Amino acid sequence: MTLITHQNARGGARSGAGRKKGSSVYGETTQVIRVPESMIPELKNLLQQRQRQSQQTPVSFETFRPDRDAPKTALPLFSGKVAAGFPSPADDYIEKTLDLNELLVQRPAATFFVRAEGESMLGAGIHPNDILVVDRSLEPVTGKIIICALNGELTVKRLKSERDVIVLGAENPAYPDIVVQDGMDMVIWGVVTNVIHSV
Amino acid sequence: MTLITHQNARGGARSGAGRKKGSSVYGETTQVIRVPESMIPELKNLLQQRQRQSQQTPVSFETFRPDRDAPKTALPLFSGKVAAGFPSPADDYIEKTLDLNELLVQRPAATFFVRAEGESMLGAGIHPNDILVVDRSLEPVTGKIIICALNGELTVKRLKSERDVIVLGAENPAYPDIVVQDGMDMVIWGVVTNVIHSV
DNA sequence: TTACTTTAATAATGTACACTTTTCAAAGTG
DNA sequence: CACTTTGAAAAGTGTACATTATTAAAGTAA
């Protein structure tokens, strides 16, 4: 009696224990769905691919560290034509995998982001509220789109030059170019390398 | 007694009776299968298509249900708006560092990228060679920009509806809208959440 | 006969749930 | 203190089954 009690004495509450959410083979919750029989084979095929895909990109959302330590999340990039029928991220169509930090940030120490305002650069694909990726280590040369503080106001414009003066060009006919003259306080912050637009 | 017997006298064998095999909406027997949640929307889409193929009923756009996923808002990068009167040193105003993967990819398992081709979506800020961030777990509702395979070709268009038909709208006057008709093979891959544009 | 009603047969459909797997804190051990 | 063992907790997984829909036969009435 005492022995048995002793052997079973490891029990008790285990709050916090339990299988983790998203621990399925696909890395997300699942659902049952009824499909026509003829779809089963190709569906199973696709599911296998999903399984492989989720296994090779384990992702942690916990990160609040600086850019440099961000986890590498390689995701598939598609291109071109695809076969009719089931939309499958089949390995056949994966051009390459992509890490957005890697793609957009060459020099983390010299890179920052700004949210764009106004419509003066629509022609360059910069819309209000877009996030601009800015590299300060790039030299602001004519033709580049730059972020600058002009008389204390932050603006994004295309850097141009006419004769001896610097011109900040808008890419929208409705907005005038700005000629930078003596006495104006202009500081260039960096060169815009990418625009992230939310649809 | 006799009355009851009389009333129940319609019983007896009914060989040959019963629902016909293959009388499902797909014209064939079905099976349940468990799939990751992010596949459900596209799967349902495909199932609808199968249904249409087997029975010549017109397209019903009501099956596009409202988006269940709450839209996430990107965090500001600078304290306050960077409007007029912006002071100088950049670093002081950076609110927090930003992980682009975190910002642009809500569900890694359900996200992929496509490189845009053509100029039909210039109005939506999508330029040739831009990289589109696509979330397949978002339900394609009217007004969203979607990636779909139309007769085997991958295209990006805005999902619209006119009367009872699905319309794939271009955002460039030079390009026509596409009306999806019976017999066309359209499969929606996902909803475009962001556009990455290289300046 | 013809049109309608009732009943039995049978498949479709969706979901509940039993069973499995994974994870982790508590208890035990040395 | 570090390690092992245990079993509770919680989610994953597949399938059984209750429900619904459809069909043909049988019955009824005009």
Side-chain angles (χ1 to χ4, degrees), chain A residues 36-48:
Chain A
E37 233 167 20
S38 66
M39 264 179 66
I40 294 282
E42 68 180 327
L43 206 44
K44 288 207 166 162
N45 226 350
L46 176 66
L47 289 176
Q48 272 185 358

Side-chain angles (χ1 to χ4, degrees), chain A residues 117 152-154, chain B residues 80-86:
Chain A
E117 290 187 354
E153 189 168 353
L154 202 62
Chain B
K81 292 267 180 177
V82 289
F86 197 86

Side-chain angles (χ1 to χ4, degrees), chain A:
Chain A
M1 193 74 115
T2 312
L3 262 170
I4 291 166
T5 306
H6 196 69
Q7 285 185 338
N8 289 348
R10 298 187 190 203
R14 303 268 192 301
S15 76
R19 193 166 175 164
K20 288 293 176 206
K21 217 162 193 168
S23 67
S24 84
V25 289
Y26 308 109
E28 57 177 309
T29 54
T30 60
Q31 240 176 273
V32 293
I33 192 170
R34 189 175 285 276
V35 300
E37 233 167 20
S38 66
M39 264 179 66
I40 294 282
E42 68 180 327
L43 206 44
K44 288 207 166 162
N45 226 350
L46 176 66
L47 289 176
Q48 272 185 358
Q49 281 166 5
R50 284 262 173 151
Q51 217 167 316
R52 281 202 300 273
Q53 202 179 308
S54 72
Q55 276 167 2
Q56 74 188 160
T57 63
V59 167
S60 138
F61 287 101
E62 308 282 283
T63 309
F64 289 104
R65 309 192 140 283
D67 295 353
R68 273 165 268 199
D69 297 330
K72 300 237 171 179
T73 46
L75 295 169
L77 170 69
F78 293 90
S79 85
K81 302 201 173 185
V82 297
F86 202 86
S88 97
D91 301 69
D92 307 346
Y93 301 113
I94 296 180
E95 193 177 82
K96 61 177 181 179
T97 55
L98 195 64
D99 180 332
L100 289 175
N101 288 323
E102 210 172 277
L103 173 78
L104 299 175
V105 181
Q106 255 79 51
R107 295 172 203 75
T111 299
F112 64 95
F113 308 102
V114 186
R115 191 179 295 278
E117 290 187 354
E119 309 200 329
S120 73
M121 295 300 283
L122 278 182
I126 298 176
H127 300 67
N129 284 320
D130 285 358
I131 286 177
L132 310 179
V133 183
V134 186
D135 190 333
R136 327 159 162 226
S137 70
L138 293 177
E139 204 187 330
V141 295
T142 297
K144 293 276 185 191
I145 290 178
I146 58 159
I147 297 287
C148 69
L150 184 64
N151 293 327
E153 189 168 353
L154 202 62
T155 53
V156 49
K157 288 283 186 302
R158 191 179 294 277
L159 187 61
K160 301 193 283 190
S161 57
E162 280 171 16
R163 272 157 285 160
D164 292 346
V165 293
I166 295 173
V167 176
L168 301 177
E171 307 253 318
N172 185 339
Y175 289 76
D177 288 1
I178 297 172
V179 179
V180 180
Q181 292 160 326
D182 283 356
M184 287 178 105
D185 174 29
M186 191 192 76
V187 181
I188 295 178
W189 280 29
V191 175
V192 176
T193 60
N194 288 279
V195 183
I196 297 170
H197 176 61
S198 209
V199 297

Side-chain angles (χ1 to χ4, degrees), chain B residues 55-93:
Chain B
Q55 37 168 297
Q56 301 284 42
T57 50
V59 177
S60 149
F61 90 102
E62 298 200 345
T63 48
F64 291 99
R65 281 165 292 151
D67 197 343
R68 288 174 311 199
D69 297 304
K72 303 213 171 179
T73 43
L75 27 107
L77 311 172
F78 287 82
S79 51
K81 292 267 180 177
V82 289
F86 197 86
S88 20
D91 300 279
D92 299 348
Y93 297 95

